[in-house]
Amino acid sequence: MLLRIIILLSFLSCLTAKAQQRHDWEDYFYDDAYGLEEYDEAQMEEEYERLCELELSPMNINTATVEELSDIPGLTLDQIDEIIRHRDRYGGFTILEELSMIPSISARQRLFICHFLVAQPVEKGEWYSKENLKKILAGGRGEVTTNLGIPLYSRKGDREGYLGDKYKYSTKLTGKFSEHIKYGLIGAKDAGEPFLSKGNGKGFDFYSFFVNVNGLGSIKSLVLGRYRVRMGLGLVQNGNFSFGKQMMLSSVSRPATRITGHSTRSDANYLQGAAAVVDLGKKGGDGKVTLSAFYSYRHIDATLGDSGAVKTIVTSGYHRTEGEMNRKHNTAEACGGIGIAYDRGCWHVGVNGVYDWYNRTLKPDDGAIFRKYFPRGNAFWNVSADYGYVTPTFSLYGETATGECGALATLNIMKIKLHDDLAVTGVQRFYSYKYYALHANAFSDGGEVNNENGMYVGLLWRAGRHFSLNAYTDISYHPWMKYLTGNSSYAWDNSLSGTFERKSRTYTIRYRMRLKQRDNAAKSALYDRYEHRLRFVMESSGTVVSLRSQADMSYVALETSGSFGWMLSQMCTISLPKDMELSAMMAYFNTKDYDSRLYTYERKIQGAFSMPSFYGKGVRFSALCKARLSDSFFLTARLGFSKYFDRDVISSSLRQIDASYQTDIDLMARWKF
């Protein structure tokens, strides 16, 4: 069966002529940032929209700092160093195609990162000087995008339960004045949420805004409004990206404080107020001292107990029903932090501290024993020390943290460059089951900086420009019980993937084996749950026609049975003159049940994230059309259709659709000025 699938996909890939290679950044995002990771849809939506924001407001490769370039997923410190050395040696990049002169950046990766970069000359003189201010303001540019999601069906909640209509829409404004002043504003409403009524009298359910100033004298970065902060490696504070392990292999970076504006639809992880990073070092000095500080005050959603205490902090952002609307902004949160770092040559050391306060007491439900060490009270603090020693061939950096919990968390990363094309990465972490930090987000297997001891070893080998190999093994131990495990447990995660690129063709094969322990049916012991996933992708890209053929298989060994699934998908993209693009995808899936569910990639309009899982038997079809109506106005439309052969009802509860099929339409209008 597998041989037949490979022959079929090879035939489909050969239908297009060899031509200049072309890839959309979303291909790279889904394939390399997550690969065969378990998908957290809320987290992926956050990260997808952040990349959309980066694409709408690309940074100048001739002025971008190390920290800013680190925002592009997949760029290693070595590659960033090579980019900076190239621009210093040759006086900057005149065109982005010069990235092909950096051997460690493959053609596929280069086409990906070029979506977030521009090559513009650097004007001499201080950008904020009086004589240049008028010029800078006159040179401002921006974009307005409006999205509309139209479901051609009704859910149960649309008839009874939801407060608003079934449509999803948003409007977003982003722009910049030179490379130093950026701004963003978004208003968004999810399906089922009211608009200008029933608790949303101000219109949209969610608003976000920010102004970001960079390079103002000694102020490296200043953000007003809503923003995200990462300090150190994220053990005490991190609201930024948190890609899967596959991308972690190549994009681990040194400890640093990074602040960015927040103008995505996500209602989680952002702060509201002001944040700044200031350079205190003397100009021309050997060492660099950096001070960072932030303060935030905002209202959050929470589930309250009978006493008015907070049982659970809710981050979904949904306000569709009376119950969800009653939770909206019912709790106040204040958060502040300060950090100081010293860098000299290869060495780095820093100290960070954060303080969180809530106007209600956090009191998790005591019914589940695994919640015993969840944070309780209304005031919390954490401190950490981060450190590092970084050279072109050897890097060692980490962070160690504690807090009023009295427990310890430490994360340490070592990277050895054995050859220009061969690197080994080791990640050790110890997160006490008693440790907690309200806004922590760092490398882990369980998704939390808590209750985990583990070791990860990864290998990255670039055998020339055509072949690359990624592999890792990661074993972790959880001393305290977790959700679905009533005792101490361990997990073992392994991945192996290879990519071969030759002219217009790319072949990728990826295998992942994952072991997680789970409670047995009687909840008397744990059993080993093995999950195997295999993906084979062939891409043939040209200036006009591009094809992507994909085969997926999964097998999950449960306590007393197994679950097997497979899926075939084919995508075709046609690029026409005047920036017009047509794309279509068809997939057939056949899985035993939800345990062997599978995912496939399809093109989407910006701001309309979707990464659905498919299980059972059925087909998926989607089509997208992009058109440029003028130099500054663009329209995009997308149709999605799913048909199931093994059911008459889709989903459940208020999301239930009384049919075996569903159709969605997404529209986007984009105006550049």
Side-chain angles (χ1 to χ4, degrees):
M1 180 66 183
L2 178 59
L3 180 60
R4 293 180 180 178
I5 292 172
I6 293 175
I7 294 173
L8 173 62
L9 296 180
S10 298
F11 173 75
L12 291 172
S13 289
C14 291
L15 291 178
T16 182
K18 294 181 180 179
Q20 183 180 353
Q21 192 173 25
R22 179 189 177 277
H23 285 283
D24 191 276
W25 68 262
E26 294 180 9
D27 299 10
Y28 193 93
F29 172 67
Y30 290 112
D31 288 344
D32 291 71
Y34 282 91
L36 299 180
E37 300 283 343
E38 292 181 348
Y39 293 102
D40 182 333
E41 187 166 340
Q43 177 178 297
M44 284 192 68
E45 182 171 8
E46 254 180 68
E47 295 164 0
Y48 170 79
E49 291 196 11
R50 277 289 293 136
L51 286 180
C52 287
E53 184 178 320
L54 282 175
E55 184 183 26
L56 292 175
S57 183
M59 65 185 78
N60 187 355
I61 193 172
N62 293 319
T63 59
T65 64
V66 172
E67 292 81 6
E68 289 173 332
L69 290 172
S70 297
D71 278 348
I72 301 177
L75 269 182
T76 67
L77 290 175
D78 293 337
Q79 291 172 330
I80 293 173
D81 182 61
E82 290 182 63
I83 290 173
I84 293 175
R85 281 193 283 112
H86 177 93
R87 76 187 189 192
D88 291 342
R89 180 177 180 180
Y90 297 103
F93 289 79
T94 55
I95 55 175
L96 292 178
E97 283 71 15
E98 291 180 38
L99 286 169
S100 61
M101 299 173 65
I102 299 176
S104 63
I105 299 179
S106 68
R108 189 167 187 259
Q109 186 183 22
R110 173 171 53 85
L111 291 169
F112 167 72
I113 65 178
C114 283
H115 284 86
F116 314 108
L117 297 169
V118 293
Q120 296 176 336
V122 180
E123 296 185 10
K124 296 181 179 180
E126 299 291 340
W127 72 270
Y128 54 87
S129 59
K130 184 176 180 180
E131 60 272 20
N132 289 333
L133 181 58
K134 182 178 180 180
K135 181 179 178 181
I136 289 168
L137 295 178
R141 59 189 184 276
E143 295 184 346
V144 177
T145 58
T146 299
N147 290 60
L148 173 62
I150 306 172
L152 301 184
Y153 52 84
S154 294
R155 297 186 175 93
K156 181 179 179 180
D158 297 326
R159 300 186 297 271
E160 50 177 311
Y162 289 159
L163 300 176
D165 58 57
K166 61 182 181 180
Y167 305 107
K168 178 179 181 178
Y169 38 91
S170 63
T171 297
K172 183 175 182 178
L173 165 67
T174 57
K176 62 168 67 174
F177 299 107
S178 77
E179 294 299 314
H180 305 275
I181 305 177
K182 300 179 182 179
Y183 59 89
L185 170 66
I186 186 172
K189 179 194 97 66
D190 285 306
E193 294 177 337
F195 183 80
L196 289 174
S197 65
K198 299 180 182 179
N200 282 336
K202 296 181 180 179
F204 289 110
D205 178 75
F206 174 76
Y207 290 97
S208 187
F209 56 91
F210 76 89
V211 175
N212 187 358
V213 179
N214 296 306
L216 178 59
S218 61
I219 298 178
K220 296 179 62 177
S221 185
L222 171 67
V223 180
L224 302 176
R226 292 183 171 176
Y227 57 91
R228 296 166 179 261
V229 174
R230 188 198 76 175
M231 306 182 80
L233 292 178
L235 297 188
V236 299
Q237 181 73 41
N238 185 11
N240 288 334
F241 293 128
S242 56
F243 290 103
K245 294 177 186 175
Q246 193 71 29
M247 184 62 78
M248 174 67 185
L249 178 65
S250 60
S251 61
V252 287
S253 60
R254 72 187 79 191
T257 296
R258 183 85 175 99
I259 59 175
T260 55
H262 176 74
S263 64
T264 72
R265 297 171 56 94
S266 172
D267 198 25
N269 294 328
Y270 73 85
L271 301 175
Q272 179 175 278
V277 179
V278 182
D279 186 357
L280 300 181
K282 293 183 179 180
K283 203 168 186 178
D286 294 335
K288 182 175 70 173
V289 180
T290 304
L291 176 69
S292 56
F294 68 90
Y295 176 76
S296 167
Y297 182 86
R298 56 171 294 212
H299 286 86
I300 61 174
D301 298 357
T303 301
L304 306 180
D306 295 336
S307 64
V310 174
K311 295 173 62 177
T312 307
I313 294 176
V314 181
T315 59
S316 67
Y318 289 132
H319 304 116
R320 302 162 298 185
T321 65
E322 289 286 355
E324 291 174 345
M325 192 61 75
N326 290 336
R327 292 195 292 265
K328 183 178 181 179
H329 298 168
N330 61 7
T331 302
E333 173 195 66
C335 180
I338 190 169
I340 188 166
Y342 177 73
D343 292 88
R344 181 174 180 140
C346 302
W347 296 93
H348 166 88
V349 63
V351 178
N352 311 291
V354 298
Y355 182 82
D356 296 279
W357 173 87
Y358 297 86
N359 69 331
R360 298 180 185 272
T361 302
L362 302 192
K363 189 178 179 181
D365 188 359
D366 294 323
I369 302 178
F370 72 88
R371 295 192 179 102
K372 179 178 179 180
Y373 295 105
F374 280 24
R376 299 168 185 272
N378 68 341
F380 310 91
W381 60 267
N382 294 92
V383 294
S384 75
D386 58 68
Y387 36 84
Y389 175 77
V390 179
T391 69
T393 58
F394 176 80
S395 300
L396 176 64
Y397 38 92
E399 183 178 18
T400 300
T402 186
E404 50 88 26
C405 58
L408 188 72
T410 183
L411 172 64
N412 298 280
I413 301 171
M414 181 175 67
K415 186 173 182 179
I416 303 174
K417 191 174 182 180
L418 302 176
H419 187 268
D420 288 344
D421 298 317
L422 181 61
V424 178
T425 301
V427 182
Q428 174 272 333
R429 71 269 190 195
F430 170 81
Y431 305 148
S432 169
Y433 60 88
K434 294 184 179 181
Y435 177 82
Y436 52 78
L438 277 298
H439 299 286
N441 184 8
F443 182 91
S444 68
D445 183 81
E448 298 177 346
V449 184
N450 169 265
N451 189 28
E452 181 173 313
N453 311 327
M455 185 66 195
Y456 161 102
V457 178
L459 173 74
L460 174 60
W461 178 38
R462 294 188 180 93
R465 286 183 173 269
H466 302 302
F467 180 74
S468 63
L469 180 72
N470 288 312
Y472 71 76
T473 183
D474 182 37
I475 188 165
S476 57
Y477 173 68
H478 310 284
W480 186 250
M481 58 190 70
K482 297 169 64 70
Y483 178 63
L484 298 180
T485 58
N487 209 329
S488 302
S489 63
Y490 68 91
W492 188 29
D493 186 14
N494 301 272
S495 177
L496 176 65
S497 66
T499 300
F500 179 77
E501 301 177 53
R502 185 67 177 178
K503 295 183 179 179
S504 63
R505 305 287 176 82
T506 302
Y507 304 88
T508 302
I509 186 167
R510 182 168 295 154
Y511 169 72
R512 189 186 189 202
M513 187 279 285
R514 185 173 176 83
L515 162 66
K516 275 192 171 185
Q517 292 189 301
R518 289 285 185 263
D519 287 329
N520 62 12
K523 298 190 181 299
S524 58
L526 300 179
Y527 77 93
D528 295 339
R529 181 183 186 274
Y530 285 92
E531 180 177 324
H532 305 268
R533 293 186 178 272
L534 178 66
R535 173 173 295 170
F536 181 70
V537 180
M538 290 189 292
E539 296 175 280
S540 184
S541 303
T543 54
V544 177
V545 178
S546 300
L547 294 179
R548 176 187 171 99
S549 307
Q550 181 172 312
D552 288 273
M553 281 170 281
S554 65
Y555 178 77
V556 181
L558 303 172
E559 182 182 5
T560 58
S561 63
S563 179
F564 176 75
W566 61 275
M567 177 168 58
L568 291 176
S569 61
Q570 177 67 47
M571 183 167 65
C572 176
T573 301
I574 302 174
S575 299
L576 301 175
K578 297 183 179 180
D579 291 335
M580 186 171 180
E581 180 182 293
L582 300 174
S583 179
M585 189 279 298
M586 174 71 87
Y588 174 79
F589 53 91
N590 188 329
T591 78
K592 181 179 179 180
D593 50 34
Y594 182 74
D595 287 308
S596 54
R597 64 194 179 277
L598 292 163
Y599 305 82
T600 190
Y601 164 72
E602 58 189 60
R603 294 199 185 278
K604 307 165 186 69
I605 65 175
Q606 288 183 345
F609 174 84
S610 175
M611 195 66 186
S613 60
F614 299 100
Y615 65 95
K617 297 180 181 180
V619 294
R620 171 69 176 175
F621 171 79
S622 69
L624 180 141
C625 177
K626 295 181 180 179
R628 185 181 70 179
L629 303 185
S630 68
D631 290 340
S632 58
F633 190 70
F634 305 80
L635 282 179
T636 306
R638 173 179 172 270
L639 171 71
F641 173 79
S642 298
K643 168 66 178 178
Y644 295 88
F645 304 135
D646 59 346
R647 70 195 73 171
D648 297 322
V649 173
I650 301 175
S651 195
S652 60
S653 189
L654 294 180
R655 297 178 61 86
Q656 178 174 308
I657 302 170
D658 296 328
S660 61
Y661 59 90
Q662 66 181 90
T663 306
D664 296 90
I665 295 176
D666 293 308
L667 303 173
M668 184 191 77
R670 178 182 172 195
W671 175 54
K672 300 176 65 175
F673 61 90

